Amino acid sequence: MAEAAGALRPVAIQNRIPARLRTRRRFGLGARVSFVLFALLVLYGPLILLAVFSFNRSEIISLPWSGFTTTYYHEALGNPDLRNSILNSTIVALIVAPLCVVIGTLMAFALTRFRFRSRGVMGGLVGAPLILPWLVIGIAALLFYAQIQRTFHVLQLSLRTVVATQVICTFPLVTAIVSAQLLRFERSQEEAAIDLGASRFQVFRYVIMPHITPAIAASAIFAFTWSFNNFEISYFTGGFQLLFPVWAYGTLRNAPNLPIINAISTIISAVQVILIVLAWWILRRRGGGAKAILGALSAEAEPTVTALTGAE
Amino acid sequence: MNRKVGPAIRKHTRARRRFGPFAVVTAAALIASACGGGSSSAPPGGSAAPAAISGTLRLFSYSDGFAPAYIKSFTEQYPNVHLVKEPFGNGDEAVAKMQAGFQADVVNSCVDENTLTMVQDGLYQPLDVSRIPDWNNIFPAMKGLPGVQVDGKVYMIPVDAGTAGIMYNADVITTPPNSWMDLFDPQYQGRAAIEDNSTTAIDIGALANGITDPLSMTPDQLDTVKNFLIAHKGQFRTYWQSDSDITSLFKSNEVVISSGYPGNAKILQRDGMNVKFAVAKEGQMLWTCGYGIQTGASNTDAAYALLNWYLDWHQELFEAKTWNYEVANQLILQHASQALIEDASLNAPNSFANAIPASPPENRAAWTQVWQEVKAA
């Protein structure tokens, strides 16, 4: 009897919902699913096409399909300039990302925790690289380094100049993300910890760090990818040390090279996806980190200018 | 707004004490990371045996200039030269970068882009042709191109060349086109294309309008060409920008006729397409590229070695076979097969008959403006 009543209940509820509303709900669900599918197609369609055409025998990126081949992967991996450029880009990104995390986080603390006369100006200066075109920054940096070279004979364009310029342009991103997280942090938790006898270091280690770690992790991912993918600064300040985006730009000129670029881009995309999934998995094992990183990533969409100028 | 000034100042002071040293260390690290590093050597001048030439040689070039299979023999011949390379995407960008202070030893340039500008701006240094044994083997017509020699001094060694003509899908167009006007034939409306390059596109518009010397057009003639191109804008499926664009458009049959280069047609032929290259009777635009030594170069011995290597007939043969380019060294005619001579038009630089030596027009800014207006119309 009870089972029968339970079975009937959904039907009864269903009957109480007006047909018009049910249609609207069904339509609404369809529209939402369609929108999500469309968004996924726009976001990932080009990447999928890139991967598919990297196995196409033809050197022309167009249908019809000409047959399966892995030739372009062999050519990509056998190209010494390409290997060298990927190595250089990886080295630069591995140096830039941690440096930016340290500088950006400290700057976020300075801008959100302390009151000083030039705070607004400082926030503006830190935020400027986020709105200035990188092309302008790249050319300006080249002019600057060339002038130093002419005047003091001490500077050669190299990976070092790329690192220095990229750090200047990338750490504000970390500052913006971490600032957004710090602004949402209840200061009363720190005060409570101090009242309970915690030292400044203990407050930082056990109260603040757990709160901002997801933001730092997210900003480290951003900083790494910004650095690895950066073309303008790499092009103008790298001298003769080739970086991957510069190699790709120079090589795209010839049609037969396009499948090779597709192949190496597929490999890089796959490695990046694997690394992100791995990081995700590790953070999940450590408990809820992945969700927090998502929160931190979405925090970047919040008005970063507010964070940088320190308004509360 | 938090106005608790007292604690805030104390925190600020503490922070300054903590961050102060860090800021100094960070700034020092940044400066240190920017300074130092890099190496260059400047061996004594004078020609020498390959093994005696050493040091770092900086090459700034289109990426073709150091394609791995191409440049391999240079690194084998000069094992003590450390060749470093930096690519550029077009001549204007390369000049802007050098004007901003970028320093190389050997720089690639094209006559139709910036060679003359580079000479006039002092970016190229005069060359000592006594150190270039193949100078006398260069086709005379190539030696006279703008920027190669200025005021009796040689600045750039021409190495390769090619002509713009008409590409067409021979399966669709059975009567081979022979005029730039064929690009504007209404039967190909929406299936034609021209290159998105102000010099090439306006040249084509001018030649199609019966203007025989496009590079010396008056403002009125330029206006006529602009109106003509705007009136025929619907004729074109697109204005293509790269080899990849035009080859894809032909393969997908979106385009059946276009301005293009023999190399584009070759790529499509390798892919099984029946695409052919034809010469327009009104004239074809000639491009010529080569290499010179940048003012301020530090390793001139190695730079001359590289210039000589590019001009050597072995490398010229590689270019003709691989990219179907015309080349500068006449010795190629003694070493290339007859089929290759015909296929890559290796005899063409003997006279450059029917070719318009493409060099930037004097009023280049006006041409660029016109082309922007055509595209925006």
Side-chain angles (χ1 to χ4, degrees):
Chain A
M1 191 73 177
E3 279 178 15
L8 285 173
R9 193 174 297 147
V11 177
I13 291 169
Q14 193 75 4
N15 287 340
R16 282 205 298 274
I17 299 172
R20 221 173 98 192
L21 193 58
R22 283 205 303 272
T23 309
R24 194 185 296 169
R25 279 185 181 175
R26 271 201 296 272
F27 176 76
L29 181 68
R32 285 198 294 272
V33 169
S34 303
F35 178 76
V36 169
L37 287 176
F38 176 73
L40 287 173
L41 189 69
V42 170
L43 281 173
Y44 297 108
L47 271 177
I48 293 166
L49 273 181
L50 180 143
V52 167
F53 276 108
S54 69
F55 293 104
N56 188 9
R57 193 184 302 280
S58 170
E59 56 193 42
I60 301 169
I61 309 302
S62 179
L63 292 170
W65 184 258
S66 304
F68 180 86
T69 183
T70 55
T71 305
Y72 300 116
Y73 284 84
H74 293 295
E75 285 186 33
L77 297 173
N79 185 317
D81 288 338
L82 173 54
R83 283 202 309 265
N84 196 34
S85 69
I86 289 178
L87 180 66
N88 284 343
S89 286
T90 308
I91 290 169
V92 167
L94 285 173
I95 296 170
V96 167
L99 268 178
C100 287
V101 165
V102 173
I103 301 170
T105 304
L106 292 176
M107 184 55 77
F109 268 96
L111 291 174
T112 57
R113 292 303 177 89
F114 305 106
R115 297 286 169 274
F116 48 96
R117 195 180 297 166
S118 58
R119 195 171 66 125
V121 175
M122 186 72 77
L125 281 175
V126 170
L130 293 177
I131 53 171
L132 275 174
W134 281 350
L135 185 67
V136 173
I137 296 173
I139 294 171
L142 172 59
L143 286 165
F144 174 70
Y145 296 134
Q147 189 59 45
I148 290 181
Q149 159 67 13
R150 277 194 291 267
T151 310
F152 303 108
H153 307 286
V154 291
L155 186 75
Q156 292 287 341
L157 296 175
S158 64
L159 294 187
R160 296 165 192 234
T161 45
V162 176
V163 167
T165 318
Q166 282 196 2
V167 165
I168 290 163
C169 297
T170 311
F171 90 82
L173 176 74
V174 178
T175 304
I177 296 174
V178 177
S179 294
Q181 193 81 342
L182 282 171
L183 284 174
R184 288 203 297 258
F185 182 61
E186 290 291 338
R187 297 289 299 276
S188 56
Q189 291 181 28
E190 285 180 57
E191 289 161 9
I194 290 169
D195 286 348
L196 292 168
S199 66
R200 275 283 168 196
F201 177 77
Q202 285 173 319
V203 170
F204 180 75
R205 170 70 183 82
Y206 297 108
V207 180
I208 300 172
M209 273 305 282
H211 183 74
I212 63 169
T213 296
I216 290 175
S219 59
I221 292 170
F222 271 124
F224 185 89
T225 51
W226 270 33
S227 170
F228 191 90
N229 297 326
N230 181 285
F231 167 74
E232 296 90 338
I233 291 168
S234 307
Y235 179 72
F236 284 101
T237 63
F240 288 89
Q241 292 196 279
L242 207 55
L243 288 115
F244 175 66
V246 180
W247 176 87
Y249 173 70
T251 308
L252 269 175
R253 173 174 145 82
N254 293 319
N257 290 331
L258 200 55
I260 299 173
I261 293 175
N262 282 357
I264 195 64
S265 301
T266 303
I267 293 173
I268 290 173
S269 302
V271 169
Q272 285 178 339
V273 167
I274 289 168
L275 286 178
I276 289 171
V277 169
L278 198 64
W280 189 277
W281 181 73
I282 290 169
L283 286 165
R284 273 191 68 181
R285 278 174 63 91
R286 294 184 62 177
K291 195 181 279 183
I293 283 185
L294 262 187
L297 287 171
S298 65
E300 204 219 355
E302 292 183 6
T304 51
V305 175
T306 307
L308 288 173
T309 52
E312 289 181 13
Chain B
M1 210 48 166
N2 188 349
R3 291 286 179 191
K4 288 189 281 184
V5 177
I9 287 175
R10 282 200 300 278
K11 283 174 191 167
H12 171 214
T13 309
R14 281 201 299 273
R16 195 163 52 185
R17 281 182 192 148
R18 285 176 190 170
F19 293 158
F22 178 80
V24 171
V25 170
T26 305
L30 280 176
I31 291 167
S33 76
C35 299
S39 63
S40 63
S41 62
S47 299
I53 296 173
S54 61
T56 298
L57 177 62
R58 299 165 296 179
L59 170 64
F60 189 34
S61 166
Y62 277 117
S63 59
D64 330 19
F66 53 85
Y70 180 42
I71 204 73
K72 190 177 164 204
S73 77
F74 177 80
T75 51
E76 286 170 355
Q77 280 177 41
Y78 295 89
N80 299 326
V81 173
H82 176 225
L83 182 68
V84 290
K85 297 96 69 176
E86 175 74 357
F88 55 77
N90 67 61
D92 289 338
E93 161 203 310
V95 168
K97 193 168 168 178
M98 285 185 285
Q99 284 171 335
F102 186 79
Q103 180 67 56
D105 295 309
V106 173
V107 179
N108 182 205
S109 73
C110 295
V111 168
D112 52 309
E113 292 180 338
N114 302 90
T115 304
L116 188 58
T117 314
M118 285 176 62
V119 175
Q120 289 165 343
D121 290 354
L123 293 169
Y124 268 151
Q125 60 174 273
L127 298 173
D128 176 3
V129 290
S130 70
R131 298 182 70 177
I132 302 169
D134 273 321
W135 171 251
N136 292 326
N137 294 325
I138 294 176
F139 285 106
M142 281 188 154
K143 289 181 180 176
L145 293 171
V148 173
Q149 296 186 69
V150 177
D151 297 333
K153 292 177 182 170
V154 177
Y155 287 89
M156 189 268 249
I157 300 298
V159 169
D160 42 37
T163 47
I166 302 167
M167 293 164 63
Y168 65 100
N169 185 333
D171 287 338
V172 179
I173 301 171
T174 47
T175 308
N178 65 354
S179 164
W180 290 116
M181 273 309 289
D182 290 323
L183 288 175
F184 300 89
D185 189 331
Q187 66 174 314
Y188 309 129
Q189 186 167 17
R191 300 184 76 187
I194 52 176
E195 187 181 357
D196 184 3
N197 172 307
S198 60
T199 308
T200 309
I202 293 174
D203 269 342
I204 290 170
L207 291 168
N209 272 279
I211 297 167
T212 52
D213 186 10
L215 295 174
S216 307
M217 270 193 289
T218 63
D220 285 346
Q221 287 176 315
L222 191 58
D223 210 41
T224 305
V225 172
K226 181 180 84 174
N227 293 332
F228 174 78
L229 290 172
I230 289 173
H232 289 84
K233 199 172 173 189
Q235 177 74 11
F236 299 107
R237 166 72 179 78
T238 187
Y239 302 125
W240 62 270
Q241 292 189 325
S242 69
D243 291 355
S244 315
D245 289 348
I246 192 58
T247 48
S248 298
L249 287 163
F250 265 97
K251 189 175 179 191
S252 59
N253 278 318
E254 289 174 81
V255 163
V256 295
I257 187 167
S258 171
S259 69
Y261 301 92
N264 301 139
K266 289 284 169 200
I267 292 169
L268 286 155
Q269 286 163 12
R270 281 204 298 268
D271 209 62
M273 296 284 294
N274 189 15
V275 171
K276 293 185 175 168
F277 181 80
V279 170
K281 64 185 177 193
E282 295 92 351
Q284 46 186 340
M285 276 70 73
L286 171 78
W287 62 263
T288 307
C289 297
Y291 298 83
I293 300 179
Q294 192 179 348
T295 306
S298 59
N299 193 348
T300 47
D301 280 353
Y304 273 103
L306 185 58
L307 293 189
N308 285 321
W309 179 85
Y310 276 124
L311 197 52
D312 185 90
W313 70 264
H314 292 89
Q315 277 62 253
E316 297 278 57
L317 191 60
F318 179 96
E319 288 209 42
K321 281 181 179 172
T322 310
W323 296 307
N324 225 242
Y325 288 166
E326 295 167 15
V327 297
N329 191 335
Q330 296 180 78
L331 293 181
I332 187 92
L333 299 175
Q334 297 171 20
H335 299 282
S337 66
Q338 195 55 38
L340 182 63
I341 290 172
E342 285 169 20
D343 199 33
S345 308
L346 296 177
N347 259 323
N350 259 324
S351 63
F352 282 141
N354 200 32
I356 298 166
S359 59
E362 284 180 16
N363 51 346
R364 191 177 185 187
W367 280 46
T368 307
Q369 176 66 28
V370 161
W371 184 234
Q372 294 300 335
E373 287 176 31
V374 170
K375 288 200 289 183

